[in-house]
Amino acid sequence: MNRDRDPAMPDRLRIAVVGGSIGGLFAATLLTRAGHDVTVFERSTHGLARRGAGLVAQQELFELLRRLGREDAGRVGVIAHERITLDRSGRIASRDPSPQTQLSWDHLYEVLLELLPPDAYRLASPVEGVDSTEQHATVHFADGRHEQVDLVVGADGLNSVVRPTVAPEHHANTYAGYVTWRGLVPERTLPEAAGLLLDRFAFFNGPNAHMLGYLVPGAAGEVQRGSRRYNWVWYRPLTPQQLDALMVTSGRGRGGVSLAPGQLPTGLRTELVDAAHRELPEPFAVAVAAEGEPFLQAIFDYVPPRMARGRVALLGDAAVMVRPHTAMGAAKAAGDAMTLAALLGELPLPEALARYDRERLPVGRWISDYGRRLAASLPFTS
């Protein structure tokens, strides 16, 4: 993009970012750095530390950190020196000597958060919806307040309240029929039987399970041996009825789609550990047992008819839900944020949003299709 900025365009936009997770912070930090007046509205009361686990490093993420002047955060990673697949007995069935770097989600979250002014990230600010006219967009809060801004960026994930404004005719997710259980275990607490997993990207495929795991930095970015954390990811089939029952038993209510650390009742955690010993190789089973507060995310698909409408744009999972098998969710959100920030710096807002939609929707659609193709190889998907 090399065209001159329209002299009639305001140099400083007032922007509301709905959702303060990684995608929202990608957008907020870039737009703040570009000189806009940005406020992030996050529903949670205490922030999102430890809501994520590990990130497989992708080029878009490194580029975003470079643009923010924080390339150093992209170097705080753990290298898996090879990829291995275990058989049911726990022996290594195959090896691939392809190194891969894993970053820490919560360390990256803290790095990005520090780049915003303290009053620009507002916790306990649940948004009920947004609307838009040609002149402004309005954010409506659960307590009855509302704020007018020049632009709303919906980065509020799977259950986006912004999405219906952009895509009123199609804003519902489609459940994929399985969930991912996750754990983030301090390396020093891993049993000796899990030692085979360290410094490797490990996999296991069983009749009703797809398991993988890798090391990530510690919560403050520690990469020294013994100070890292083991991130395991366990995909299991769950019918919609079973998912609802799990959510109700866990106090989340019917229709819930996730459990944060600490929300799984003790009895259900015991059942999960027992299932791990029945279904997984011992190194993975003991890693599951070492996590006292496993967390869960149901897997969904969603591709919108558009990513922008009026003065509202969607970004990250709020725009396109992609299967985690791609390891491209964070990279896609970073690409969305970089494209949006660059276009707003070059074009009048309506033209920038139209161009954003044209450029990023095909990318999201391709990644979504790719994720479904990867998932088709799992034994419990169709």
Side-chain angles (χ1 to χ4, degrees), residues 196-331:
L196 178 69
L197 304 174
L198 300 182
D199 298 305
R200 290 161 160 157
F201 205 119
F203 297 87
F204 169 72
N205 292 301
N208 288 294
H210 175 59
M211 185 76 175
L212 59 97
Y214 46 85
L215 284 165
V216 299
E222 303 93 339
V223 295
Q224 301 84 5
R225 185 174 296 274
S227 299
R228 303 168 296 182
R229 295 170 297 171
Y230 190 73
N231 174 56
W232 56 259
V233 184
W234 184 11
Y235 296 97
R236 304 187 77 203
L238 212 60
T239 67
Q241 296 77 17
Q242 290 170 327
L243 179 60
D244 274 345
L246 173 62
M247 291 296 136
V248 170
T249 304
S250 301
R252 295 281 288 158
R254 193 175 302 277
V257 299
S258 65
L259 296 174
Q263 291 184 331
L264 185 69
T266 300
L268 293 182
R269 176 188 170 270
T270 299
E271 291 181 11
L272 187 71
V273 171
D274 290 344
H277 285 292
R278 289 194 308 270
E279 300 173 15
L280 302 175
E282 183 185 15
F284 277 133
V286 298
V288 171
E291 173 56 78
E293 297 183 333
F295 45 109
L296 172 144
Q297 179 65 60
I299 306 302
F300 289 87
D301 295 310
Y302 174 74
V303 178
R306 68 192 66 83
M307 286 178 59
R309 187 184 190 202
R311 288 176 169 260
V312 183
L314 299 175
L315 181 147
D317 289 347
V320 180
M321 283 295 306
V322 299
R323 306 276 180 111
H325 317 293
T326 66
M328 296 174 71

Side-chain angles (χ1 to χ4, degrees), residues 61-335:
L61 184 54
F62 292 130
E63 174 61 20
L64 182 141
L65 291 171
R66 186 192 67 77
R67 295 187 188 189
L68 293 172
R70 287 304 309 265
E71 298 100 320
D72 59 297
R75 293 191 289 270
V76 180
V78 176
I79 298 175
H81 297 287
E82 64 175 345
R83 298 164 72 91
I84 62 171
T85 299
L86 303 184
D87 63 19
R88 181 62 185 84
S89 71
R91 291 192 295 267
I92 297 176
S94 66
R95 285 185 139 100
D96 175 9
S98 299
Q100 186 166 295
T101 301
Q102 290 75 236
L103 307 181
S104 164
W105 188 98
D106 44 6
H107 177 63
L108 183 61
Y109 170 81
E110 295 292 346
V111 166
L112 295 170
L113 194 58
E114 289 173 0
L115 297 177
L116 295 177
D119 61 348
Y121 191 91
R122 300 185 188 176
L123 294 169
S125 299
V127 173
E128 281 199 337
V130 304
D131 57 51
S132 174
T133 68
E134 291 185 5
Q135 291 74 37
H136 60 258
T138 304
V139 182
H140 300 277
F141 297 92
D143 61 6
R145 293 182 300 113
H146 65 271
E147 289 196 25
Q148 287 188 353
V149 294
D150 297 307
L151 171 65
V152 172
V153 178
D156 49 341
L158 172 70
N159 290 319
S160 172
V161 300
V162 180
R163 193 189 283 169
T165 301
V166 175
E169 73 275 39
H170 172 49
H171 53 82
N173 305 294
T174 301
Y175 179 48
Y178 61 104
V179 303
T180 175
W181 290 97
R182 304 193 72 160
L184 197 59
V185 184
E187 182 181 7
R188 64 181 178 278
T189 68
L190 273 178
E192 185 177 344
L196 178 69
L197 304 174
L198 300 182
D199 298 305
R200 290 161 160 157
F201 205 119
F203 297 87
F204 169 72
N205 292 301
N208 288 294
H210 175 59
M211 185 76 175
L212 59 97
Y214 46 85
L215 284 165
V216 299
E222 303 93 339
V223 295
Q224 301 84 5
R225 185 174 296 274
S227 299
R228 303 168 296 182
R229 295 170 297 171
Y230 190 73
N231 174 56
W232 56 259
V233 184
W234 184 11
Y235 296 97
R236 304 187 77 203
L238 212 60
T239 67
Q241 296 77 17
Q242 290 170 327
L243 179 60
D244 274 345
L246 173 62
M247 291 296 136
V248 170
T249 304
S250 301
R252 295 281 288 158
R254 193 175 302 277
V257 299
S258 65
L259 296 174
Q263 291 184 331
L264 185 69
T266 300
L268 293 182
R269 176 188 170 270
T270 299
E271 291 181 11
L272 187 71
V273 171
D274 290 344
H277 285 292
R278 289 194 308 270
E279 300 173 15
L280 302 175
E282 183 185 15
F284 277 133
V286 298
V288 171
E291 173 56 78
E293 297 183 333
F295 45 109
L296 172 144
Q297 179 65 60
I299 306 302
F300 289 87
D301 295 310
Y302 174 74
V303 178
R306 68 192 66 83
M307 286 178 59
R309 187 184 190 202
R311 288 176 169 260
V312 183
L314 299 175
L315 181 147
D317 289 347
V320 180
M321 283 295 306
V322 299
R323 306 276 180 111
H325 317 293
T326 66
M328 296 174 71
K332 180 178 69 67

Side-chain angles (χ1 to χ4, degrees), residues 8-43:
M9 182 175 56
D11 290 332
R12 181 178 171 90
L13 296 172
R14 189 174 180 213
I15 300 173
V17 176
V18 180
S21 190
I22 288 288
L25 288 175
F26 287 161
T29 50
L30 286 171
L31 292 168
T32 297
R33 189 176 181 85
H36 300 294
D37 179 7
V38 182
T39 304
V40 179
F41 298 104
E42 166 54 39
R43 174 180 295 274

